Amino acid sequence: EKAGYDHFMLKEIHEQPESLRRAISGRLSNGNSQVILDELNLAADEINNYERIYIVACGTAYHSGLVAKYLIEDLVRIPVEVDIASEFRYRNPLVNDKTLVIVVSQSGETADTLAALREAQDRGAKVIAISNVVGSTIPREADEVIYIHAGPEIAVASTKAYINMLIVFYLLTIYLAQLKETISEEEIKRLIKALKQLPNQVAQIIKDSESEIKRFASDYAEYENAFFIGRSLDYAVALEGALKLKEISYIHAESYAAGELKHGTLALIEEGVPVIALATQNSVVDKMLSNIKEVQAREASVTGIVLSDEDEVFKSLDHTIEIPTTEELLTSILTVVPLQLLAYHVAVERGCDVDQPRNLAKSVTVE
Ligand code: F6R
């Protein structure tokens, strides 16, 4: 049932192009000029009533929400708060009938996320669930559901579900922007065109980078700490990369917004400390270059995830993984792929139980 792969996680990483195609399928208009989410019952005047959006989830699903915040605020111009379900539910959150709440859960059974959903509904908010498991509790109790159609995810570490949460957030963001008319028809067409290329681009990254990542994974297997840095959307993805590495390889990993380094963390950077630098956001790439120089000056060992290694600074890195170019807002789906592969191959090198990491369960139905 692992279809020839050593682990479910690797199988699921390789399934991502297909699972992305499934999530997009049937959700674009004929001329690729509109996003269609027939499952949603949201009229334009309802959207205009919302003053704020809350995205609430746990773990990797929470990380997908951090990406969504950038997208929705940029394209739909509604303020978005992203909260961890176990914090939200005990915090007297500012939620009412002018708040749209989006809960995200692969399994649809996570106890804290379910409690957050109920809390939001009690306060008068409409709740949209984004989930993978049809008929699970969270989609059943939510007011609206968008399924991510990733197919069964067996490995405890989430990969294809994360990527499919992102694609659904891209679709939902464009859909909300259509309703609110916050972006032009031209812009919508451009985004949809780029979005349709993502499945092939994910396949290309796996093909182009996996053998190289596997090669340098043995260096990483020796480390006990790693730092992931990025700015803007890359910071949100860096958090997910660090979580993946921690949960399956047991290497302590932290993610920092690169601009925060000099406010404390830089003290930990010394010779040989591994830093994974995500630099795929053109709008802040110069800033990232100076952050990379900062850690290089302390002799960190730097792996870059970049759009092109043309720049002299990128050429000087210990390893670089290039990802294909897409719309800046859509890069996260591509950026995360080498991080998933890195976590996987490092865990294998360390002899870890990749699909069943210690202390963790696939579905967290107790708090
Ligand atoms: C990490 C991981 C977990 C889950 C979290 C929420 O790889 O899988 O962090 O994302 O437990 O699970 P769901 O999405 O089922 O609510």
Side-chain angles (χ1 to χ4, degrees), residues 58-61 104-108 110 113 156-158 165 243-244 247 362 364:
C58 304
T60 287
V104 192
S105 175
Q106 186 284 130
S107 63
T110 301
T113 310
V156 164
S158 183
M165 286 165 187
L243 176 63
K244 283 295 90 99
E247 74 173 321
K362 182 67 185 162
V364 185

Side-chain angles (χ1 to χ4, degrees), residues 88-89 92-93 95 114-124:
F88 175 91
R89 64 180 290 200
N92 193 10
V95 170
L114 176 60
L117 174 160
R118 291 177 177 157
E119 181 69 36
Q121 283 176 333
D122 284 348
R123 289 168 189 254

Side-chain angles (χ1 to χ4, degrees), residues 20 24 28 35 37 64 67-68 70-72 75-76 130 162-178 183 191-192 194-196 198 233 237 281 326-336:
L20 284 173
I24 300 170
L28 299 176
V35 169
L37 289 174
S64 79
V67 172
Y70 282 92
L71 305 173
I72 298 172
L75 299 182
V76 192
I130 294 180
Y162 172 76
I163 260 191
N164 272 36
M165 286 165 187
L166 295 189
I167 197 101
V168 161
F169 269 126
Y170 295 167
L171 291 165
L172 178 62
T173 302
I174 299 171
Y175 181 82
L176 295 175
Q178 281 167 198
I183 59 176
L191 286 166
I192 290 178
L195 188 141
K196 289 188 62 178
L198 291 171
L233 281 164
V237 177
Q281 299 290 294
T326 180
E327 291 284 326
E328 183 160 347
L329 276 177
L330 305 187
T331 38
S332 305
I333 279 193
L334 306 180
T335 319
V336 75

